[in-house]
Amino acid sequence: MAARPPISKVGFIGTTVAMSDGFFADRLARHGLATVMPEPRHHDMLNSAIYDELVHGRVVDATRRRVLGVLEELWDSGVEGVLLGCTELELLVRQADAELPVYPCTTLHVNAALDRALAS
């Protein structure tokens, strides 16, 4: 993954619990990142996409379009990128699908672990 310029405001999508609880936003804030969650009206749809479709290996184009609409709303709110805060979301949203930078949490964690392991 190519290096991206630093950002200060990131959108976050994930499960309803992840978006409603301050756990992720608080930790990102400690690293200087303001976090914007989708409007609450989108939480059930995102949760359903994860638990009713993606965990069962179903990638539905209509759902992808709806999620991309949520990303557009986040971008319109001023975020500089969006963090996919759930492993399964990487099945649904790829960088090629969105105009704003997409940060896939699982891929980022794996790359960081590999970098750390190889640096030892």
Side-chain angles (χ1 to χ4, degrees), residues 14-67:
T15 63
T16 298
V17 170
M19 292 183 292
S20 300
D21 186 280
F23 179 85
F24 291 102
D26 292 346
R27 273 134 193 93
L28 291 168
R30 288 185 205 152
H31 295 279
L33 283 169
T35 306
V36 177
M37 303 297 174
E39 292 288 328
R41 63 189 167 90
H42 296 305
H43 290 200
D44 286 341
M45 181 274 295
L46 290 163
N47 206 63
S48 177
I50 294 164
Y51 288 118
D52 297 338
E53 295 173 13
L54 297 172
V55 298
H56 300 289
R58 293 195 333 251
V59 179
V60 179
D61 284 332
T63 302
R64 177 180 289 121
R65 288 189 297 275
R66 290 179 70 194
V67 171

